[in-house]
Amino acid sequence: MTETTTVIIGAGQAGLAMSYCLSERGIEHVVLERGQVAERWRTQSWDSLTLLTPNWMTRLPGFQYDGGEPDGFMPVAALIALLERYARRSQAPVRTGTTVLRVERWCGRFRVFTNRGVWSADSVVVATGYCDLPAVPAASRTIAPSIMQSVPAHYQRPEQLPDGGVLVVGASSTGVQIADEIQRSGRPVTLAVGRHTRLPRRYRGHDILWWLDRLGVLNQSADTVHSIEASRRQPSLQLVGRPDHSTLDLATLREGGVRLVGRVSDADRFRVRLNDDLIATTAAADVKLAEIRMRIDQLIVQCGLPAPPPDPFRPTWPLALESPDGIDLQAERIKTVIWATGYRRSYPWLHVPGILDRHGEIRHQGGTTPVGGLYVLGINFQRRRNSSFIDGVGGDAEEIADQIARSRSGLRVA
Ligand SMILES: Cc1cc2nc3c(=O)[nH]c(=O)nc-3n(C[C@H](O)[C@H](O)[C@H](O)COP(=O)(O)OP(=O)(O)OC[C@H]3O[C@@H](n4cnc5c(N)ncnc54)[C@H](O)[C@@H]3O)c2cc1C
């Protein structure tokens, strides 16, 4: 058994940021990674994926993007290279190919069992990713087996799909990007739209994330929201990072020929039933967007910022007026269903009593769990709205590193 102070599980951006912060404080640790550094980006992203956050938002502890294109969007290959460089420069003690199989309490410490030996540690940081496993609705189980079903983590490019129509379920950032790409490949796409957060790529002369940063929306603290559970359930931003900075939303998809329908409720072989909610979900997204535009307009006036006039506001709810109540996959020659319906987490290796809630999520407040010495990092809205973003995970890692340092120096942990 190898002794250390802290075991970090996972070498994505969260685990690497955590490692940097512990090294800064002189705390001995190891990063256990089942694959390679940035494994998730290597194995679970599609070929054309670029970050939807502009390069200037690629910030980690001790690292700030300093390339020549701060407003550009990084392809996944460049991000993998960047995370590898970050790990090398900070001399992160990463053990690749090391899968954590069991974590348990042991004599006031933790024992971490892996396929490559056992570690004993005072503290453990779980950084295994918020987007861990696909969350696929039960309707997928009752669709006829002749229909190919997939999820974004397994999707790579349109050519891997059978000829014929495609039903993409989910209209957040992943769903709209995949729907657009497949439609452009010549396969007719139907997009089942649930709750979504509509945003233009640019507004009044700047990237929308620049404005949200200025408004303090991205950095908003979990303490200041009405309901943290509701905030954590908010759909991801309907954005895409393209060289031309164009907007991808329901209106542009519709113009490109994508058919928009309501949320999938259930399925019976080839018959997919839809909720009569497309007007409601699109109208809700329109209202939210109108509110964000208003906040930006007010900021421009208050701060006297130079900005061109706003583009005319075009609601998307009128696109929803002729939404069907169901789809016959066979009659409409739809051969594939892609469930872009979000993610869930699973911790079957975490054998620590009381750590998981009834939904199987780690109980925590700002990443600190009720079990002394056990932390989680990279969770959606962990301490701030951007906690699961590359740009936000660093602040949370600093906090946890401070707590680990305080507990080592015998001070009371807040
Ligand atoms: C499609 C997509 C696009 C995104 N685009 C952006 C974007 O543009 N900008 C942005 O800021 N954020 C984006 N995100 C959000 C976020 O940046 C990513 O989800 C990112 O991967 C999170 O990093 P992480 O380190 O928390 O987790 P992950 O990258 O998931 O890393 C977790 C690591 O833990 C390892 N692991 C898991 N289980 C074990 C185990 N039992 N033992 C050992 N190792 C284990 C995994 O192999 C993995 O390497 C995107 C997310 C997705 C899904």
Side-chain angles (χ1 to χ4, degrees):
M1 183 154 61
T2 312
E3 303 265 330
T4 187
T5 302
T6 304
V7 165
I8 301 169
I9 309 174
Q13 73 218 17
L16 297 176
M18 192 67 234
S19 169
Y20 181 94
C21 295
L22 291 180
S23 294
E24 283 271 282
R25 289 158 182 79
I27 298 173
E28 194 206 345
H29 63 280
V30 64
V31 186
L32 305 180
E33 166 56 55
R34 64 183 171 188
Q36 301 177 62
V37 164
E39 180 67 17
R40 190 84 63 189
W41 294 107
R42 289 173 200 274
T43 53
Q44 294 187 16
S45 54
W46 58 97
D47 295 355
S48 66
L49 180 64
T50 56
L51 291 187
L52 57 83
T53 43
N55 290 335
W56 60 263
M57 280 181 71
T58 306
R59 299 183 278 214
L60 287 165
F63 173 84
Q64 160 76 64
Y65 174 87
D66 60 359
E69 281 188 85
D71 297 324
F73 302 99
M74 207 175 282
V76 165
L79 177 65
I80 293 169
L82 184 150
L83 290 175
E84 274 179 336
R85 239 179 7 256
Y86 182 63
R88 260 197 319 274
R89 271 196 212 155
S90 58
Q91 298 185 326
V94 182
R95 301 292 175 97
T96 55
T98 307
T99 304
V100 170
L101 304 171
R102 184 178 180 89
V103 174
E104 63 182 26
R105 273 301 225 178
W106 180 70
C107 299
R109 307 187 83 214
F110 294 93
R111 260 199 314 200
V112 180
F113 295 81
T114 77
N115 60 331
R116 295 207 167 168
V118 183
W119 271 263
S120 144
D122 293 330
S123 46
V124 169
V125 182
V126 177
T128 48
Y130 185 74
C131 302
D132 185 10
L133 297 170
V136 178
S140 68
R141 293 200 286 271
T142 45
I143 288 184
S146 59
I147 301 290
M148 177 179 163
Q149 296 191 58
S150 190
V151 290
H154 298 155
Y155 168 81
Q156 281 162 321
R157 64 194 80 86
E159 293 70 36
Q160 78 186 129
L161 307 179
D163 286 340
V166 179
L167 170 63
V168 177
V169 186
S172 285
S173 59
T174 298
V176 294
Q177 289 182 55
I178 290 178
D180 183 54
E181 174 170 278
I182 297 173
Q183 177 75 27
R184 285 170 192 267
S185 79
R187 291 165 179 78
V189 171
T190 300
L191 179 64
V193 179
R195 282 193 322 130
H196 56 281
T197 306
R198 180 186 173 204
L199 286 177
R201 184 69 264 182
R202 289 181 69 79
Y203 184 64
R204 302 198 66 177
H206 287 284
D207 191 274
I208 190 69
L209 294 180
W210 187 88
W211 287 116
L212 296 187
D213 196 46
R214 286 292 294 253
L215 284 170
V217 171
L218 300 175
N219 208 19
Q220 186 182 6
S221 160
D223 307 336
T224 62
V225 297
H226 180 60
S227 156
I228 187 63
E229 282 75 29
S231 298
R232 286 192 177 127
R233 281 197 305 271
Q234 268 180 14
S236 67
L237 311 175
Q238 203 182 58
L239 281 175
V240 61
R242 288 172 170 161
D244 64 359
H245 301 260
S246 56
T247 294
L248 178 61
D249 63 7
L250 299 184
T252 53
L253 284 169
R254 190 71 208 88
E255 275 162 31
V258 171
R259 180 171 64 144
L260 307 175
V261 300
R263 188 185 164 92
V264 169
S265 64
D266 56 88
D268 180 9
R269 290 185 53 74
F270 295 103
R271 179 80 192 154
V272 175
R273 275 180 285 274
L274 303 166
N275 286 347
D276 181 18
D277 59 359
L278 190 56
I279 292 184
T281 50
T282 46
D286 289 341
V287 168
K288 190 81 196 146
L289 174 57
E291 185 199 321
I292 289 170
R293 283 171 53 120
M294 198 178 68
R295 288 179 65 185
I296 296 171
D297 295 345
Q298 284 168 351
L299 184 76
I300 289 170
V301 173
Q302 276 160 14
C303 302
L305 300 173
D311 305 327
F313 181 74
R314 294 207 174 85
T316 49
W317 68 262
L319 304 172
L321 290 175
E322 285 171 22
S323 171
D325 62 0
I327 303 171
D328 184 331
L329 299 175
Q330 202 165 32
E332 299 186 26
R333 294 184 32 78
I334 292 177
K335 302 282 178 55
T336 310
V337 178
I338 298 181
W339 300 95
T341 35
Y343 297 89
R344 64 187 176 88
R345 288 136 301 284
S346 173
Y347 307 98
W349 39 266
L350 197 47
H351 293 266
V352 177
I355 189 69
L356 300 180
D357 68 14
R358 66 195 167 92
H359 305 294
E361 301 284 357
I362 295 182
R363 292 178 202 277
H364 74 96
Q365 196 149 21
T368 306
T369 78
V371 178
L374 187 56
Y375 304 90
V376 62
L377 182 62
I379 295 297
N380 189 23
F381 225 137
Q382 181 163 316
R383 298 180 70 87
R384 302 192 177 276
R385 193 180 293 279
N386 59 5
S387 281
S388 59
F389 284 16
I390 298 164
D391 192 29
V393 74
D396 294 357
E398 300 276 6
E399 286 284 342
I400 292 174
D402 280 344
Q403 287 192 38
I404 293 175
R406 278 203 296 274
S407 65
R408 283 185 60 70
S409 61
L411 295 175
R412 215 178 126 255
V413 179

